[in-house]
Amino acid sequence: MKALDAEVVVIGAGVVGSAIAKELSGYRLSVLMVEARPDIGDATSKANTAILHTGFDASPGSLESRLVARGYGLLRDYAGRVGIPIEDTGALLVAWDDEQLSVLPKLQAKAKANGYDATQIVDADAVYARVPALGPGALGGLLVPGESIICPWTTNLAYATEAVRAGVQLRRNWPVERIEVNDQVTTVHGPAGDMTCRWVINAAGLGADRIDAMFGYERFAIVPRKGELLVFDKSARALAPVIVLPVPSAKGKGVLISPTIFGNVMLGPTSQNITDRTDTATTVDGIEFLRRKGMSLMPELMMEEVTAMYAGLRASTQHDDFIIEADLAQRYVVAGGIRSTGLTASLAIAEHIVVLLNEAGLRLRARQDLPGPMRMPNLGEGFMRPYRDEQRIAADARYGDIVCFCERVSLGEIHDAFASDIPPVDLDGLRRRTRAVMGRCQGFYCGARVQQLLDQCAEERP
Amino acid sequence: MTARSGDLHVDVAVIGGGPAGLSAATHLRAAGVGDVLIIEREHQAGGIPRHSQHTGYGIRDLHRVLNGPAYAAELVARAEACGARILTGAMATGWSGPLSLDVTSPSGVYRVHARAVIIATGARERPRTARMVAGDRPSGVYTTGQLQNATAIWGQHPGSRAVIVGAELVSWSAVMTLRHHRCHVALMTTQYARAESYAAMTLPGRLLLGVRVATRTQVVQIIGKDRVQAVRITHLDSGKSALVPCDTVVFTGDWIADNELARAHEVAVDPTSSGIIVDAGLRTSAAGVFAIGNVVHPVDTADVAALDGVHVAAQVADYLHHQSWATAPVELQAAGALRWVSPGRIDPSGPAPARSRLLGWGSTVLRTPTITVEQGGICLSRQKLVWPMSPGRAFRMPWSILANVHPSRGPATITVA
Ligand SMILES: Cc1cc2nc3c(=O)[nH]c(=O)nc-3n(C[C@H](O)[C@H](O)[C@H](O)COP(=O)(O)OP(=O)(O)OC[C@H]3O[C@@H](n4cnc5c(N)ncnc54)[C@H](O)[C@@H]3O)c2cc1C
Ligand SMILES: Cc1cc2nc3c(=O)[nH]c(=O)nc-3n(C[C@H](O)[C@H](O)[C@H](O)COP(=O)(O)OP(=O)(O)OC[C@H]3O[C@@H](n4cnc5c(N)ncnc54)[C@H](O)[C@@H]3O)c2cc1C
């Protein structure tokens, strides 16, 4: 029999697929990760609110509740090891009417049921003491000290980089179109060719139901739920010292105000079911809705300039929980419906899948020959950036050559991104790896030079 | 600069080597100030004119008409000839003291300690996101600055069919750049009833450029996954909307002062103009810190920015000599069709501002505007001007209208109607 291309194929290189690939790379097993888009982390994982959730408000007893709580701790540890920036801002859930106020004790009880004991109910004065810029009318709040902010891009990239360095093969621009399952071998087909494997893991995000259908299932149907967000100028950062959460309602988590790891403030998301899985455009109505919300939540914030606008699509399904199941007969695992907490839960999802694979009889043996520890470039505003690092600049002048002025991204960091294990292929990818061009001027000053660097890099690529 | 990292001591630190900063440095040296350091983050000093290839620069300051790059080169040469030091590739990133700056450059990280600081960081155009224009995020979306930087300095090409958002003076600069690169301008949009600076342009000018201008129109959505394919425009009065196919969108004008260093230092900024608030001597609210050029009045032409530099030099030299810093007593407020006015504070008994002019910004076209000055409910002067006000270009007012302002009767209001 012809050798297999890999023992396991992971479909999708979002934060979930990349976490799975990284986890599997720790075992003696050949793994291939395929991604339809030109780059990893280019779908839902790039467009979220980037909060490391404690899981205090999950449905107790659900798989999601368990994996979010577990993922929170795992990701914190991992972030510390590889240098993913996290800021422990904490969150303040604010009640704006009597009904919401009456929900706070219930939320506190729910948090306890989820194993999270650190919440605290506070009065209106304490709310304004913590966030003086809040609009009038707050009646009280619930403190959730563990909620933190994290860099979603570095997280996804760190997983994928660690996987690739440990030998996982990554294929970008490789959409899976058809899957054939035989006795011993599964063949995965795409326009770029075929690949053979024994196991398939479906982490295809918004496309997960389609992959699932290729295995004959009709377990779930994905309804993309659009979330639009506005990101405000860095001058606004002091207005939002903590994450300001709304009281969740039947309609979802609601609109929040959060500092970002890059030093901005974000307002959103909206929540709108749509049909087109590729429609990540912001809308006139969505922006208007956020403006109105912002005016009542924090009027001062609305005086600041908007630096960025984007929309992400939650992969929601008819079920209220993650769908993570193994099919031994077809040697197939699905991780679907990872809607609004997948960034936080990612490492726990991967860990859970390893358990499922072990139970299914795939003999996973830990590797002893893993490459040494790695360190990701820091994109966090709260940590040392190269432009301030005297020693780094003394050693290599390119770190003192600032290309993107608004975000203070140096030529050295841009060159590092091009020379990395998973180099960017377009402006958006470079932005996610370095922050270049994502600042307040949106390219007025540096857009042309950055484009030049990208073109030059594309020319030099073999 | 041979020293690597560390502390630098200078008499005057000028942040920004555009027309304003360069001419300030030149005239400071001419006034006998010893050590003047320009901190410029680009690899070449000169500011915006470096990549603005058309003519029209230098009229009021150099009394010549030059194209942008030639003008920039001339100002750099003059500053250097006068013995000002220009540190290029060096960005002021923050403050480490009242008159001390953190600076990053390839040669190291410096703390520059000065006896006086001049902020001359310019202004940028408001980009698509800050205008909250909905839609996809494709390539092909520019500001004029980026477009000209891309084409003039980096030899990149715009698309073949463009929509220009805005009809300010700078918008016509964008038209010329696109023309030069054989990019057809399908439409220019403006929210105003008349194309702001267009209305003030000469008939031959209009015929020559021959661009279709949609007034009272807003671009509300950008369509296209990879590259722009179209924009949706809406008429502000009728609410009717239409799709305009194009592969390039240029957001022009609608300026934002580059005031970040000022805000980081709690230097007062005008919330309407985003410009730094100064008095007639270009002093800011922070002792020893001056501000000039487009970061004060976003925006006027380059020669006016350069003349700020001339004006500030005498003020700074005087400050270095006497070390006294007084806050001008009277706040100026803008009303009516006047959106903002600079200087924002004045001392009626003090010297006049640069060129003896007040600068402002209009919200509508007025052929013969009337200016009224009031203080404490009393009308101090009323005057009809013989030049028009039009949105999208600076509106200049004579200093003499403030002749009767009293130093201790509270804010004075300038109304234009
Ligand atoms: C507005 C919003 C806010 C959010 N806020 C948070 C938050 O604060 N904290 C948090 O923890 N989570 C948050 N989330 C959720 C989180 O972003 C997601 O749960 C997570 O990104 C899902 O990751 P994924 O890898 O499953 O999906 P994706 O990132 O969508 O990755 C799936 C990948 O599979 C690829 N793919 C699909 N089909 C195929 C195919 N046929 N062949 C090959 N490849 C394919 C896709 O191209 C994609 O790259 C938020 C989500 C949204 C939308
Ligand atoms: C497209 C276009 C066309 C124009 N056409 C004309 C024309 O025909 N005629 C005319 O007279 N005017 C024209 N203008 C206006 C003219 O360019 C400006 O008025 C002039 O450049 C303002 O000078 P400035 O020194 O205030 O600012 P700028 O020229 O913007 O210079 C500011 C400088 O400060 C630097 N800087 C900013 N922040 C920092 C920092 N933190 N550290 C270090 N350096 C910093 C910048 O790199 C820049 O070099 C045009 C403008 C544009 C955009």
Side-chain angles (χ1 to χ4, degrees):
Chain A
M1 197 185 79
K2 199 171 137 261
L4 296 174
D5 290 310
E7 265 156 290
V8 180
V9 165
V10 178
I11 302 176
V15 76
V16 173
S18 299
I20 296 167
K22 169 192 107 56
E23 194 67 23
L24 292 178
S25 72
Y27 299 94
R28 285 202 244 159
L29 189 72
S30 63
V31 180
L32 218 157
M33 177 157 65
V34 293
E35 169 53 55
R37 299 178 70 91
D39 198 2
I40 66 151
D42 197 22
T44 300
S45 299
K46 77 173 173 189
N48 49 48
T49 48
I51 295 171
L52 191 56
H53 290 299
T54 55
F56 77 97
D57 62 344
S59 299
S62 64
L63 181 61
E64 181 173 5
S65 155
R66 181 157 69 82
L67 296 183
V68 170
R70 170 85 182 141
Y72 176 87
L74 289 175
L75 184 44
R76 285 190 83 91
D77 286 351
Y78 182 72
R81 259 182 292 138
V82 306
I84 299 166
I86 291 184
E87 275 184 53
D88 296 316
T89 56
L92 175 59
L93 200 131
V94 180
W96 297 94
D97 59 36
D98 288 330
E99 195 192 321
Q100 293 182 354
L101 202 58
S102 71
V103 173
L104 297 184
K106 291 176 203 155
L107 273 172
Q108 189 166 43
K110 195 176 190 184
K112 283 216 175 84
N114 281 315
Y116 188 74
D117 293 335
T119 64
Q120 191 193 333
I121 292 178
V122 294
D123 64 11
D125 288 347
V127 166
Y128 285 107
R130 282 202 159 69
V131 191
L134 278 182
L139 302 179
L142 182 74
L143 288 175
V144 193
E147 298 277 295
S148 311
I149 57 175
I150 186 168
C151 179
W153 304 330
T154 308
T155 305
N156 201 146
L157 187 64
Y159 295 162
T161 301
E162 190 174 328
V164 166
R165 285 166 55 121
V168 170
Q169 302 172 64
L170 170 66
R171 300 260 195 290
R172 295 187 268 182
N173 285 311
W174 218 105
V176 173
E177 287 181 340
R178 197 161 56 81
I179 294 172
E180 237 176 288
V181 184
N182 291 319
D183 259 5
Q184 300 288 321
V185 180
T186 299
T187 311
V188 178
H189 300 273
D194 310 338
M195 53 181 65
T196 52
C197 60
R198 275 181 57 72
W199 282 81
V200 168
I201 300 177
N202 171 5
L206 294 161
D209 56 346
R210 293 186 177 153
I211 301 288
D212 208 41
M214 293 177 201
F215 287 89
Y217 285 102
E218 282 178 33
R219 278 181 276 205
F220 61 97
I222 285 185
V223 180
R225 186 176 299 153
K226 189 186 276 191
E228 298 179 45
L229 290 134
L230 299 179
V231 179
F232 289 84
D233 193 277
K234 290 188 167 51
S235 309
R237 178 61 176 80
L239 299 176
V242 304
I243 305 163
V244 178
L245 297 174
V247 174
S249 72
K251 274 204 71 190
K253 283 185 188 283
V255 173
L256 58 84
I257 291 175
S258 174
T260 76
I261 201 77
F262 313 118
N264 300 68
V265 176
M266 108 184 3
L267 170 72
T270 59
S271 183
Q272 191 81 45
N273 286 349
I274 60 170
T275 49
D276 180 355
R277 298 172 187 218
T278 65
D279 175 12
T280 52
T282 50
T283 64
V284 173
D285 292 346
I287 292 170
E288 187 47 38
F289 170 79
L290 290 177
R291 267 166 110 147
R292 262 185 281 120
K293 268 277 182 217
M295 276 314 290
S296 66
L297 286 174
M298 195 179 276
E300 238 183 292
L301 179 61
M302 306 314 282
M303 305 278 290
E304 300 289 343
E305 301 285 342
V306 170
T307 298
M309 307 183 298
Y310 61 89
L313 305 181
R314 307 169 188 87
S316 68
T317 69
Q318 66 272 45
H319 307 292
D320 257 348
D321 204 349
F322 293 172
I323 302 153
I324 304 178
E325 285 161 22
D327 172 344
L328 180 56
Q330 296 195 78
R331 300 176 308 277
Y332 167 61
V333 180
V334 60
I338 318 290
R339 304 157 295 175
S340 38
T341 52
L343 171 62
T344 308
S346 51
L347 287 177
I349 294 171
E351 192 186 63
H352 182 63
I353 284 176
V354 165
V355 172
L356 291 183
L357 288 174
N358 262 319
E359 285 171 4
L362 187 71
R363 283 185 308 132
L364 292 175
R365 285 168 300 154
R367 276 172 64 178
Q368 309 301 329
D369 58 341
L370 285 169
M374 60 168 205
R375 207 66 204 164
M376 299 301 289
N378 167 46
L379 302 189
E381 194 63 10
F383 305 85
M384 181 58 117
R385 304 264 322 277
Y387 81 89
R388 291 195 288 135
D389 191 337
E390 292 182 23
Q391 285 170 358
R392 193 127 180 221
I393 295 171
D396 185 341
R398 292 176 308 164
Y399 294 106
D401 183 352
I402 302 183
V403 175
C404 167
F405 303 125
C406 303
E407 298 295 315
R408 285 124 193 232
V409 182
S410 66
L411 184 63
E413 292 161 275
I414 291 177
H415 281 168
D416 288 348
F418 289 143
S420 68
D421 295 290
I422 309 176
V425 290
D426 55 18
L427 186 60
D428 211 36
L430 183 64
R431 176 163 33 209
R432 290 200 296 278
R433 286 163 177 85
T434 63
R435 285 171 52 173
V437 198
M438 62 175 260
R440 50 171 66 102
C441 93
Q442 291 285 302
F444 180 88
Y445 294 111
C446 76
R449 183 172 180 205
V450 171
Q451 189 59 48
Q452 179 69 21
L453 290 166
L454 265 169
D455 294 348
Q456 198 180 323
C457 175
E459 260 166 44
E460 286 163 10
R461 232 194 316 268
Chain B
M1 200 65 37
T2 45
R4 301 191 82 99
S5 301
D7 294 83
L8 284 178
H9 293 267
V10 297
D11 288 317
V12 182
V14 182
I15 314 169
L22 288 167
S23 70
T26 301
H27 289 86
L28 279 166
R29 288 287 302 150
V33 174
D35 203 357
V36 181
L37 178 69
I38 298 178
I39 301 158
E40 169 53 56
R41 62 191 185 183
E42 298 280 357
H43 288 237
Q44 265 182 349
I48 296 274
R50 279 176 310 126
H51 50 70
S52 184
Q53 283 176 316
H54 54 77
T55 186
Y57 284 91
I59 300 164
R60 294 184 189 80
D61 59 331
L62 304 182
H63 310 293
R64 294 153 66 181
V65 188
L66 298 170
N67 67 30
Y71 176 69
E74 177 65 28
L75 292 185
V76 171
R78 288 184 184 212
E80 281 174 340
C82 278
R85 281 195 293 163
I86 308 179
L87 190 60
T88 54
M91 177 173 179
T93 60
W95 302 79
S96 49
L99 294 172
S100 300
L101 293 154
D102 294 323
V103 175
T104 290
S105 79
S107 64
V109 178
Y110 302 96
R111 268 164 308 275
V112 175
H113 308 282
R115 294 172 57 217
V117 171
I118 302 176
I119 304 178
T121 46
R124 61 181 189 273
E125 294 164 287
R126 185 166 274 115
R128 176 250 177 124
T129 50
R131 302 181 199 217
M132 292 195 243
V133 176
D136 298 312
R137 307 203 310 173
S139 66
V141 179
Y142 295 91
T143 45
T144 318
Q146 182 181 353
L147 174 74
Q148 294 187 342
N149 207 331
T151 52
I153 303 215
W154 300 102
Q156 295 160 13
H157 287 281
S160 57
R161 193 180 151 87
V163 168
I164 295 184
V165 182
E168 302 188 12
L169 269 187
V170 62
S171 319
W172 297 98
S173 180
V175 171
M176 286 192 271
T177 301
L178 292 171
R179 281 279 161 82
H180 184 77
H181 290 274
R182 303 214 150 92
C183 178
H184 172 65
V185 178
L187 187 69
M188 201 166 191
T189 68
T190 169
Q191 56 178 319
Y192 294 106
R194 279 198 272 174
E196 36 278 49
S197 57
Y198 191 65
M201 265 173 99
T202 58
L203 185 64
R206 281 189 243 177
L207 290 179
L208 193 67
L209 290 168
V211 175
R212 196 158 72 87
V213 182
T215 54
R216 295 290 294 152
T217 300
Q218 213 172 1
V219 169
V220 294
Q221 187 192 0
I222 292 180
I223 298 155
K225 284 261 152 35
D226 295 322
R227 178 83 194 189
V228 178
Q229 286 171 346
V231 295
R232 180 174 297 284
I233 57 172
T234 305
H235 195 269
L236 288 169
D237 302 320
S238 70
K240 282 201 186 122
S241 86
L243 281 184
V244 184
C246 60
D247 60 9
T248 302
V249 189
V250 188
F251 287 88
T252 65
D254 199 357
W255 303 88
I256 304 175
D258 261 306
N259 61 22
E260 288 70 40
L261 280 176
R263 289 188 68 178
H265 205 42
E266 311 216 329
V267 169
V269 165
D270 180 335
T272 309
S273 71
S274 75
I276 297 175
I277 298 174
V278 293
D279 66 12
L282 296 161
R283 276 173 284 261
T284 69
S285 62
V289 180
F290 296 78
I292 56 176
N294 281 345
V295 73
V296 172
H297 40 75
V299 302
D300 206 336
T301 51
D303 47 8
V304 171
L307 290 173
D308 272 2
V310 178
H311 186 71
V312 83
Q315 307 291 327
V316 173
D318 187 65
Y319 166 73
L320 291 178
H321 189 67
H322 295 106
Q323 290 290 310
S324 69
W325 193 269
T327 303
V330 181
E331 186 192 333
L332 284 189
Q333 295 173 340
L338 188 66
R339 290 192 51 223
W340 53 261
V341 60
S342 181
R345 301 195 75 90
I346 59 153
D347 177 356
S349 59
R355 305 181 61 235
S356 292
R357 292 279 200 285
L358 303 168
L359 287 177
W361 205 258
S363 58
T364 182
V365 176
L366 295 173
R367 287 279 166 205
T368 50
T370 303
I371 308 182
T372 313
V373 179
E374 284 168 303
Q375 191 180 28
I378 299 164
C379 176
L380 301 182
S381 77
R382 173 167 285 141
Q383 189 178 334
K384 210 176 193 73
L385 293 186
V386 293
W387 58 85
M389 164 186 266
S390 68
R393 62 192 305 170
F395 178 62
R396 306 188 180 111
M397 293 161 282
W399 170 245
S400 57
I401 60 169
L402 299 177
N404 298 326
V405 170
H406 194 278
S408 57
R409 293 205 185 119
T413 304
I414 305 178
T415 308
V416 179

